[in-house]
Amino acid sequence: MTQVKRAAVQHRNNYIGTEHLLWGLTVEDNTATRLLAAVGTSPEALHKAVGERLSTGASQAAERIAWTPYSRKAIALAEERAQEAGSAHIDCDHLLLGLARIGRGVAATVLDEAGLDAGALDDAAARLTEPTAHA
């Protein structure tokens, strides 16, 4: 979440939208970038694509920045996904899946343009978390 807020502050935005969430998820190696790589998508290319859509606003950095309705919905969907997976906390891949599931907002547009949809990401996430068979 540090990267997410950094994106909003650096671009002088007084809100945290889905674009900030996706930008933050693709800054460094994490479960979301590994999921993207598993489906054949470059996290770096996705980071660049969403970065090109971050507009610079006129607001001053604030301690508290409002979350847009789509970003709140993505987090709620990520929380549901974490619970389904039996996790006590939201991981980066859960948030990526939440962004894909809402299907709206800048992040959804960038994911769609990269040929990613919630179904493909869900399938890949399931494959990555399947227990491996012991020989």
Side-chain angles (χ1 to χ4, degrees), residues 7-122:
V9 170
Q10 285 177 342
H11 289 88
R12 299 175 56 107
N13 299 141
N14 61 356
Y15 64 92
I16 294 176
T18 62
E19 61 272 31
H20 301 104
L21 292 172
L22 185 56
W23 189 90
L25 286 175
T26 55
V27 169
E28 56 194 30
D29 180 53
N30 58 54
T31 57
T33 58
R34 290 190 289 277
L35 178 56
L36 289 168
V39 296
T41 299
S42 163
E44 295 83 10
L46 211 57
H47 182 76
K48 183 179 181 204
V50 76
E52 291 170 352
R53 293 178 187 237
L54 285 170
S55 59
T56 301
S59 70
Q60 296 297 317
E63 192 59 34
R64 295 188 58 160
I65 300 174
W67 295 79
T68 65
Y70 291 150
S71 61
R72 286 195 306 271
K73 179 68 175 172
I75 290 170
L77 291 169
E79 185 175 33
E80 287 176 19
R81 176 63 183 197
Q83 290 171 351
E84 291 168 6
S87 179
H89 65 280
I90 298 171
D91 286 326
C92 293
D93 59 324
H94 300 142
L95 186 51
L96 178 63
L97 291 166
L99 287 169
R101 284 182 179 177
I102 60 170
R104 301 190 101 156
V106 174
T109 300
V110 171
L111 292 170
D112 185 55
E113 288 174 356
L116 299 171
D117 63 28
L121 289 170
D122 277 333

